[in-house]
Amino acid sequence: MHLLQEQFPWSNLELSALLKDTMVVAVGIEPATFCLPVMCFSPLRHDNEWICADYYFQYTECDSTGSRWRVAIPLNPGECTGLPDPVQGTECTFTCEAGEFLEMSAQECTQCAAGTYSLGSGLRFDEWDDIPPGFSNLAANPDNSPIGQNGSTCSSAKWIAQGSYLESNRDECTVSLVYTVHLKKMGSVSFEYQYMDNSILFEFYIQNDQCQEMDQDSNKKWIKLTSHGEWGIHSVNLNSGTNILYWRTTRVTLGAKAVKPVFLRSIRIEGVAYTSECFQCKPGTFSHTPGLSSCEPCPQDSYSGRGASSCTPCNTKTHYASEGSAMCRRRPPCSKSDYIQTYSPCDEKGKTQVMYKWVEPQICLEDALGAVKLPPSGQHKPCPPCNPGFYNNDMATCSPCLPGTFSDGVKACQPCPAGTEPVLGYEYKWWNVLPVNMKTSCFNVGNNKCNSLNGWEVAGDHVHSGTGRSDNDYLILTLRVPGFKLPMSLHATSGSEYGRITFEFETICSADCEFYFMADVRRRSKGVVESWEGSKAKQIYTHIMNENSTVDLTWAFQRTNQANDVRQYVNDMVKIYSVTVTNAMDGVALVCRACALQSQKSGSSCVPCPADHYIDKETNQCQECPSDTILSGHPINGRESCQPCGPGSKSNKEHNVCFSDCSFTYIDQNRTLRYDFSALSSVGSIMNGPSFTAKGTKYYHLFNISLCGAEGRKAAVCRDNATDLSNEEADAGQLGSSVEAFICQSTVIPPDGRGLKTALSSQSISLADTFQGATVEKSLSGITTRPELFPSPSERLPDIHFFYRSPQVTTSCPRGRTAVVSLRCNPEKTVRGDISVPSECPAGTCDGCTFYFLWESSSACPRCTDDHYHAIEGACRGGVQDTVYLWTEPRWCTGGLSLPLKRSSPCETIDFWLKVGAGLGALCAVLLVSLTCYFWKKNRKLEYKYSKLVMSANKECELPVADSCAIMEGEGEENEEEEVGYANNSSLLDKLKAIATKGNNKNADAVQMQFSHTEKSVWG
């Protein structure tokens, strides 16, 4: 210290305080925790000065040369003297080995004593009775505002210590577990975790002393999901200097489903400068020799306290202890929950009996007061038959049938008939013993008390969950399938289905039990395929395998997710009645099925059919499916295996998928409308929202739609960018949590929703795996659209509906999900147009199972034809007439025919036909005038004749008998027929009568008599 004071004018107190602060930064922990005082005496006062005897040693910061000083730091503040002088310290890169600590007085590495351990240059945290010193919780409200500014919504949110692990918060608050460490060299951090619920976003990131986030790969920042009952390990390299570690959880729960919190344990940090003391073994563990880097758990029926070098045995007559116990527990009286019912293996006589046995290891006392006795075994009864594909051959156990033979489990194995092949798989429906490829286990997050127990027990016609040690144990049943092998006839098919897993089950629960079905493909991660909560009636569930690889199928049951060391709900259980796996590679033959034969000759062998062929039932030959049909699946026997594609769709070359080739034809009122949707073939997207969870977290729904084209390839991809696999794993063909479909959906959290730097996409699901067809009708294949959700302003052109289905069933959608994309012609939209969801159902669905979309675009209009335009002829000017063509408005078409160009043609001022018409009109006018004049003149002559006749009658002159009326004066040359015709004219008679009335009646009578006589003469 004197040497330091020569360089820096600081007092002892100032220097001590500075070094103490330096030590806190350098190690990242409290001084008293890791630094032992070398001497423990009270300060002495001498000549009004305190002589310090209670102090500890610490190193200064390393200088530019890589050297440092060891100085003494008083534990009590104040002026004092008598501290040891500073001495040259060890090199800054100096570290001790695992199992050693740095003894500061001698500056040498020393072995840890028995009952303690050390990591050398590392730290380990594995005791979680409380949050260890140096750790802190940082909570944020859903809107990312500080706690004090928005009430106390998240004031109580934090990571909770549960003894052997930490548990994250269960609400929607964002909570970070923070720890700061200063490293002298490059190091690392690793931790064990359980992360089972993708409604929680779990991230681990690092900041420097400037609160700047370190560069980190996404696969290191976003933690991968683990299966139920398994601990994952996550490791990240650390840079030298200050590292601020963050474990942050953000929950986004869109439904009422209970959340599974994140569990954290065994945090280990490597790269600290040194450890100045050893850690004591925690209770339940011990280290029996010096220099150990870890402690071992105490064996069963023994215990230990903190810092133990050995374990103390329990009095096994009255007490017991599980492995790693810190104390012995008194054995309780035996109860009904301490024994289980099972069946004995079949004996040589084919008999079995119900047996009862104590749960192992037995912890109860049979002779204690109030203890129940083990029930006696039941009577012998016939064993159930073997499962299909097995036979017993009068032996106690069932054996699998030899290759090429089959059995129903009752009869002996028989060879497959000619022209058939065995269908391999598993069909477990009798549960006298657990099948050899099934394993059962028990697991608890907080302890290992049930590790040695069977999680499931056989019961004749079913297998059920066991009792476990506590109600929150995971009772696990696992079936490994090494792969799938299609029948010979299907080897060349390119369909997406390789096998099916079907099981029948029921759950009986009085608490918040949950039953999980998981699939771990290629040992990547056990993803939860489906889960059921509470009591469920007997039902069948089917899962389709779309990948040919090894898969571990797991059924897990948990009575309650609340931590509890007792068994209150021992009668809650799940029963599985049957499990069937088709096309299993190591399966047995359940039946034999007709195969495709090489020829019709006797003894011909089975051959694989090409990808687009079926097996003709009469000839057993491969026949190609007709166009626009697809093979419905397995088997492919008969023409009926080729199912026709829906309207507006066609099949690909392999006949395994129906799709739209972006063309559509519709006949309306003797008018054929043709559509081309090629402009809509690329994936369309819509992000609707925002929506908010119960606590205000903002999120969006992102939909990707692959409408047509791509030869039926599902081009819409939704990827989980928070829990995705690394690039190396993705390159290896492992898609992680990505979903490929015709329509898929992701939940997106914007970067401003939780203080995130980038938007997060998670919870991706498929909404459309198969294309049912396109039509203007409102229903197709059991899917119905709802036109009222998208009112149309015009009914001139109907919407074209694309119908899709996703056959994967869920608890909320027992028939799977369906989707309808309605295309609407809108000339005002762009070529790509806009996609929308119903305003009444902003999430795209009103019931969670059927989704509706409206895609308005000019590309959704029919192709233009000559019916969509009309011609307009102009006036004849200068001998030329122009004809132009215009679209009929409003224009309801696009593409197709183009408008014809303007056409010009010669013309005259007055049209030829107009001239002809004018000439004919003039001719008719002349003829009319001529006829009028002719008849007028003739009429005048007749009037003159008759007037003369009247005058003669008045003079009582005798008219000639024949000539007086017929031949007048000056009319001798006229022809007789004309005169006779005039006499017969009725209008002329009327005129004569009118003239005659002007005379007296006598004269009139005379005229009439004479006229009558004349008439007689004329007509004679």
Side-chain angles (χ1 to χ4, degrees):
M1 185 173 290
H2 294 300
L3 295 175
L4 292 176
Q5 287 176 329
E6 290 177 3
Q7 299 182 30
F8 304 100
W10 294 326
S11 65
N12 287 345
L13 181 60
E14 293 172 333
L15 183 57
S16 300
L18 175 63
L19 292 174
K20 184 176 181 179
D21 293 339
T22 302
M23 184 276 301
V24 173
V25 175
V27 183
I29 48 181
E30 293 294 332
T33 305
F34 292 96
C35 300
L36 290 177
V38 176
M39 302 176 64
C40 296
F41 299 100
S42 298
L44 302 177
R45 187 179 184 86
H46 180 69
D47 295 335
N48 293 326
E49 291 185 356
W50 290 101
I51 300 176
C52 294
D54 194 4
Y55 59 88
Y56 60 90
F57 290 114
Q58 185 56 268
Y59 286 119
T60 64
E61 286 286 345
C62 295
D63 57 23
S64 59
T65 64
S67 60
R68 56 186 174 182
W69 294 86
R70 189 203 69 179
V71 298
I73 309 296
L75 290 179
N76 297 318
E79 293 288 345
C80 63
T81 60
L83 290 173
D85 293 334
V87 298
Q88 186 74 33
T90 59
E91 294 181 359
C92 292
T93 58
F94 175 83
T95 58
C96 292
E97 298 295 331
E100 299 177 341
F101 73 100
L102 181 62
E103 205 286 315
M104 294 295 292
S105 298
Q107 298 191 72
E108 294 180 352
C109 293
T110 304
Q111 281 191 342
C112 293
T116 63
Y117 72 96
S118 169
L119 300 178
S121 61
L123 306 174
R124 183 165 62 197
F125 303 94
D126 54 7
E127 290 186 62
W128 305 102
D129 295 321
D130 201 354
I131 301 294
F135 286 87
S136 61
N137 279 291
L138 180 62
N141 286 314
D143 59 358
N144 202 39
S145 63
I147 295 297
Q149 297 183 7
N150 193 21
S152 58
T153 306
C154 295
S155 58
S156 60
K158 60 182 180 180
W159 287 76
I160 303 171
Q162 296 286 10
S164 59
Y165 62 93
L166 280 175
E167 179 183 300
S168 68
N169 58 306
R170 294 172 180 257
D171 54 25
E172 293 184 9
C173 299
T174 298
V175 181
S176 299
L177 181 69
V178 186
Y179 184 77
T180 303
V181 63
H182 187 88
L183 302 184
K184 290 296 185 180
K185 60 179 182 179
M186 294 285 290
S188 64
V189 58
S190 63
F191 55 89
E192 297 182 17
Y193 69 95
Q194 277 205 9
Y195 174 29
M196 304 164 286
D197 193 341
N198 65 355
S199 66
I200 294 179
L201 302 178
F202 182 28
E203 55 183 322
F204 174 74
Y205 62 97
I206 308 165
Q207 290 183 349
N208 58 20
D209 54 359
Q210 302 298 320
C211 295
Q212 297 174 339
E213 187 171 337
M214 302 283 196
D215 292 337
Q216 201 172 349
D217 295 337
S218 60
N219 63 310
K220 293 296 184 182
K221 178 177 180 179
W222 297 105
I223 311 300
K224 301 171 189 175
L225 291 169
T226 62
S227 62
H228 291 261
E230 290 188 1
W231 288 94
I233 299 178
H234 190 79
S235 300
V236 179
N237 293 328
L238 300 178
N239 297 326
S240 59
T242 301
N243 294 266
I244 307 174
L245 313 179
Y246 287 84
W247 292 265
R248 181 163 70 175
T249 58
T250 301
R251 174 189 168 193
V252 183
T253 302
L254 308 182
K257 192 173 182 179
V259 68
K260 301 293 182 184
V262 174
F263 301 137
L264 193 63
R265 74 177 185 185
S266 190
I267 299 176
R268 179 169 178 165
I269 301 173
E270 292 284 353
V272 296
Y274 56 86
T275 300
S276 60
E277 69 168 345
C278 296
F279 300 91
Q280 291 184 328
C281 293
K282 67 178 183 178
T285 63
F286 73 101
S287 63
H288 59 283
T289 57
L292 295 180
S293 60
S294 62
C295 299
E296 299 178 14
C298 287
Q300 185 177 321
D301 291 331
S302 65
Y303 72 99
S304 69
R306 184 176 300 277
S309 59
S310 63
C311 298
T312 304
C314 300
N315 181 1
T316 56
K317 293 183 178 181
T318 57
H319 291 76
Y320 75 98
S322 302
E323 183 183 15
S325 297
M327 60 180 296
C328 294
R329 297 177 181 270
R330 181 174 293 276
R331 293 183 180 273
C334 291
S335 64
K336 291 183 178 180
S337 61
D338 291 308
Y339 65 83
I340 57 174
Q341 173 186 312
T342 185
Y343 284 81
S344 66
C346 290
D347 56 23
E348 62 278 359
K349 297 181 180 180
K351 300 289 185 179
T352 185
Q353 67 176 152
V354 175
M355 300 181 64
Y356 298 90
K357 63 178 182 179
W358 297 111
V359 175
E360 296 293 339
Q362 183 179 350
I363 62 172
C364 65
L365 291 176
E366 300 181 55
D367 54 357
L369 182 63
V372 299
K373 299 297 181 182
L374 194 66
S377 299
Q379 294 182 349
H380 285 80
K381 61 180 182 180
C383 290
C386 294
N387 285 309
F390 291 83
Y391 72 101
N392 60 18
N393 240 2
D394 297 329
M395 299 178 64
T397 59
C398 294
S399 302
C401 290
L402 297 176
T405 63
F406 74 100
S407 171
D408 59 0
V410 178
K411 300 178 182 178
C413 299
Q414 300 176 3
C416 288
T420 65
E421 60 181 334
V423 179
L424 302 181
Y426 318 130
E427 185 179 354
Y428 300 136
K429 58 182 181 179
W430 300 109
W431 304 93
N432 191 43
V433 293
L434 200 65
V436 293
N437 57 351
M438 273 189 166
K439 304 297 181 183
T440 176
S441 60
C442 179
F443 175 83
N444 191 288
V445 174
N447 56 66
N448 54 5
K449 296 179 180 179
C450 78
N451 290 4
S452 60
L453 301 181
N454 287 333
W456 292 68
E457 298 290 344
V458 296
D461 63 342
H462 69 273
V463 58
H464 62 81
S465 55
T467 56
R469 284 290 188 197
S470 57
D471 286 336
N472 66 333
D473 291 340
Y474 283 102
L475 306 171
I476 299 171
L477 180 67
T478 303
L479 170 63
R480 164 161 284 199
V481 182
F484 297 89
K485 181 180 180 181
L486 296 176
M488 175 63 72
S489 302
L490 301 176
H491 277 184
T493 60
S494 57
S496 60
E497 180 181 331
Y498 288 93
R500 293 193 176 199
I501 295 95
T502 305
F503 58 94
E504 185 177 15
F505 73 97
E506 70 171 331
T507 57
I508 304 170
C509 299
S510 58
D512 57 335
C513 71
E514 191 158 8
F515 178 45
Y516 305 92
F517 172 62
M518 297 171 283
D520 181 5
V521 180
R522 294 183 182 176
R523 290 186 171 271
R524 291 200 296 255
S525 177
K526 285 185 182 177
V528 176
V529 178
E530 190 55 83
S531 63
W532 299 265
E533 297 178 1
S535 295
K536 298 295 180 183
K538 184 184 291 188
Q539 57 187 275
I540 296 176
Y541 179 81
T542 299
H543 175 65
I544 299 175
M545 290 300 302
N546 298 320
E547 184 176 350
N548 189 5
S549 60
T550 301
V551 58
D552 288 330
L553 306 173
T554 300
W555 294 265
F557 180 71
Q558 188 183 38
R559 293 185 176 90
T560 177
N561 62 1
Q562 303 299 323
N564 197 342
D565 246 357
V566 298
R567 292 182 293 193
Q568 293 179 290
Y569 311 108
V570 69
N571 292 323
D572 291 5
M573 67 176 64
V574 57
K575 297 180 180 180
I576 296 180
Y577 293 93
S578 65
V579 175
T580 303
V581 180
T582 63
N583 301 329
M585 184 177 294
D586 63 341
V588 292
L590 313 179
V591 294
C592 292
R593 182 182 300 153
C595 66
L597 298 179
Q598 189 173 10
S599 66
Q600 291 184 296
K601 296 180 180 179
S602 177
S604 178
S605 59
C606 295
V607 295
C609 283
D612 53 352
H613 287 58
Y614 68 94
I615 303 174
D616 186 87
K617 290 183 178 180
E618 296 182 359
T619 64
N620 276 20
Q621 300 292 302
C622 297
Q623 299 291 336
E624 183 178 3
C625 280
S627 59
D628 297 334
T629 63
I630 60 171
L631 285 171
S632 59
H634 309 156
I636 58 172
N637 298 80
R639 171 65 176 77
E640 60 273 14
S641 300
C642 301
Q643 298 293 325
C645 292
S649 65
K650 60 185 300 183
S651 64
N652 60 352
K653 296 179 180 179
E654 293 78 15
H655 289 266
N656 59 10
V657 64
C658 294
F659 71 100
S660 169
D661 61 353
C662 298
S663 63
F664 182 78
T665 302
Y666 167 58
I667 300 177
D668 179 29
Q669 298 178 356
N670 297 325
R671 180 180 59 167
T672 301
L673 301 178
R674 291 181 171 85
Y675 295 79
D676 183 6
F677 304 131
S678 299
L680 308 179
S681 60
S682 59
V683 176
S685 299
I686 173 178
M687 182 180 291
N688 68 313
S691 301
F692 298 88
T693 62
K695 280 203 171 184
T697 300
K698 182 193 298 184
Y699 67 91
Y700 295 83
H701 282 308
L702 172 65
F703 298 96
N704 291 329
I705 301 175
S706 175
L707 187 72
C708 61
E711 284 295 317
R713 181 174 57 87
K714 301 172 184 178
V717 179
C718 294
R719 190 178 296 276
D720 185 348
N721 68 353
T723 58
D724 229 357
L725 296 173
S726 64
N727 294 332
E728 292 79 10
E729 291 171 322
D731 293 340
Q734 301 178 12
L735 299 178
S737 55
S738 63
V739 173
E740 296 181 359
F742 289 114
I743 306 175
C744 61
Q745 171 195 306
S746 294
T747 300
V748 178
I749 304 175
D752 59 344
R754 289 296 180 93
L756 304 172
K757 293 185 178 180
T758 58
L760 299 182
S761 174
S762 63
Q763 303 179 25
S764 300
I765 59 174
S766 170
L767 306 181
D769 293 318
T770 59
F771 178 55
Q772 303 296 306
T775 178
V776 296
E777 302 297 331
K778 297 179 181 179
S779 298
L780 181 66
S781 300
I783 309 172
T784 303
T785 186
R786 296 177 58 185
E788 70 275 9
L789 296 177
F790 303 107
S792 176
S794 173
E795 297 295 336
R796 182 168 182 176
L797 284 177
D799 294 340
I800 301 173
H801 308 295
F802 281 62
F803 294 86
Y804 299 89
R805 185 183 299 277
S806 178
Q808 194 67 49
V809 300
T810 62
T811 304
S812 55
C813 302
R815 294 186 176 182
R817 299 184 179 94
T818 57
V820 182
V821 180
S822 300
L823 299 186
R824 177 171 295 173
C825 173
N826 191 336
E828 298 179 359
K829 296 290 184 178
T830 62
V831 173
R832 289 287 295 170
D834 300 320
I835 305 175
S836 60
V837 294
S839 57
E840 298 179 14
C841 313
T845 176
C846 301
D847 59 2
C849 297
T850 303
F851 293 76
Y852 303 96
F853 304 92
L854 176 64
W855 198 332
E856 291 186 276
S857 166
S858 59
S859 301
C861 298
R863 305 279 288 175
C864 294
T865 64
D866 52 8
D867 293 333
H868 293 94
Y869 63 83
H870 58 277
I872 298 179
E873 295 180 348
C876 184
R877 295 178 180 178
V880 177
Q881 184 181 41
D882 293 335
T883 303
V884 296
Y885 300 89
L886 297 177
W887 295 111
T888 302
E889 295 296 336
R891 179 184 174 184
W892 296 100
C893 70
T894 183
L897 292 180
S898 301
L899 280 177
L901 298 177
K902 181 177 68 174
R903 183 169 60 86
S904 299
S905 58
C907 66
E908 297 181 9
T909 305
I910 300 178
D911 189 75
F912 170 77
W913 292 108
L914 182 61
K915 291 180 180 180
V916 172
L920 292 175
L923 179 61
C924 292
V926 172
L927 291 176
L928 182 62
V929 172
S930 301
L931 290 174
T932 302
C933 294
Y934 170 77
F935 285 109
W936 179 79
K937 183 178 179 181
K938 190 173 184 178
N939 188 55
R940 290 291 301 272
K941 290 179 180 180
L942 291 175
E943 287 182 355
Y944 175 75
K945 291 177 183 180
Y946 284 106
S947 60
K948 292 281 288 181
L949 180 62
V950 171
M951 291 175 60
S952 300
N954 289 335
K955 294 177 180 181
E956 296 181 358
C957 61
E958 182 112 277
L959 291 175
V961 175
D963 297 334
S964 61
C965 291
I967 301 175
M968 295 288 179
E969 185 179 352
E971 297 291 334
E973 297 177 358
E974 295 183 4
N975 126 5
E976 239 175 322
E977 291 178 4
E978 183 183 352
E979 293 290 341
V980 174
Y982 178 75
N984 276 325
N985 193 319
S986 60
S987 58
L988 183 60
L989 293 176
D990 291 338
K991 291 180 180 181
L992 292 176
K993 291 179 180 179
I995 296 173
T997 54
K998 296 180 180 180
N1000 51 43
N1001 293 333
K1002 183 179 178 180
N1003 291 338
D1005 294 336
V1007 173
Q1008 291 175 358
M1009 289 175 61
Q1010 294 175 6
F1011 184 72
S1012 299
H1013 179 75
T1014 304
E1015 275 188 83
K1016 292 179 180 179
S1017 299
V1018 173
W1019 296 103

